[in-house]
């Protein structure tokens, strides 16, 4: 039986508007205990920002993180997938584009996200990555 992206994607999305400050996004990541947020405008996906993006693209450049918007750090050249695509296609896209997460969209609207950790848990939960990805974070 073929598995689809919708079978393992995370549908609980954390989003921000493009004008959100870098500080506000970092605080949201801390409060939600996540490492990535989707940047949306209205209902449309405009970008994606990871905790690493905030550090490398925004904080390392200097300036006031309260004044910088998330658009200074987000990736806007996105690779996306639809919920009905096969998991094998998700793996291919991640490999081809060297990405660890794929936003899941329907008609340009985000409906989920699938990560390399999700795939590891599904494909080989006993692997090191699967084991780490399944572990609850320390508080």
């Amino acid at each position: 039986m073929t598995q689809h992206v919708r079978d393992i994607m995370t549908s609980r999305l954390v989003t921000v508007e493009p004008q959100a400050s870098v500080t506000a996004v970092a605080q949201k990541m801390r409060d939600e205990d996540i490492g990535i947020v989707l940047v949306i405008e209205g209902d449309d996906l405009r970008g994606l920002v990871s905790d690493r993006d905030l550090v490398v693209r925004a904080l390392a450049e200097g300036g006031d993180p309260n004044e910088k918007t998330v658009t200074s750090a987000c990736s806007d050249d996105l690779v996306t997938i639809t919920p009905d695509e096969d998991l094998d296609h998700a793996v291919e896209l991640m490999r081809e584009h060297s990405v660890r997460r794929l936003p899941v969209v329907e008609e340009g609207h985000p409906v989920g996200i699938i990560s390399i950790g999700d795939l590891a848990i599904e494909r080989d939960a006993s692997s090191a990555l699967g084991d780490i990805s399944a572990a609850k974070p320390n508080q």
Side-chain angles (χ1 to χ4, degrees):
M1 183 168 105
T2 302
Q3 282 193 295
H4 297 98
V5 169
R6 84 168 57 253
D7 297 330
I8 69 167
M9 72 181 195
T10 300
S11 56
R12 184 183 150 271
L13 300 177
V14 177
T15 63
V16 295
E17 297 277 326
Q19 66 273 14
S21 74
V22 167
T23 300
V25 174
Q27 290 169 340
K28 184 172 265 207
M29 286 179 173
R30 178 201 60 206
D31 295 346
E32 298 285 335
D33 194 29
I34 56 172
I36 193 161
V37 296
L38 299 178
V39 180
I40 60 163
E41 196 164 23
D43 290 333
D44 296 328
L45 180 63
R46 294 291 181 229
L48 166 127
V49 66
S50 69
D51 46 7
R52 183 178 191 284
D53 292 334
L54 290 180
V55 172
V56 172
R57 295 183 182 162
L59 298 178
E61 296 297 319
D64 184 351
N66 289 309
E67 297 296 319
K68 282 189 172 187
T69 65
V70 72
T71 55
S72 68
C74 80
S75 300
D76 54 8
D77 185 22
L78 296 178
V79 178
T80 62
I81 196 162
T82 65
D84 296 320
E85 291 187 67
D86 294 343
L87 287 184
D88 289 339
H89 188 232
V91 172
E92 289 171 19
L93 285 173
M94 287 178 169
R95 280 188 181 135
E96 179 182 338
H97 297 281
S98 299
V99 295
R100 293 181 171 101
R101 299 169 185 96
L102 290 173
V104 182
V105 298
E106 284 185 308
E107 298 177 15
H109 307 298
V111 294
I113 194 159
I114 186 169
S115 73
I116 195 169
D118 297 330
L119 289 166
I121 292 168
E122 184 60 33
R123 297 276 171 104
D124 189 2
S126 63
S127 70
L129 181 58
D131 192 39
I132 291 166
S133 298
K136 298 272 188 223
N138 293 334
Q139 294 293 328

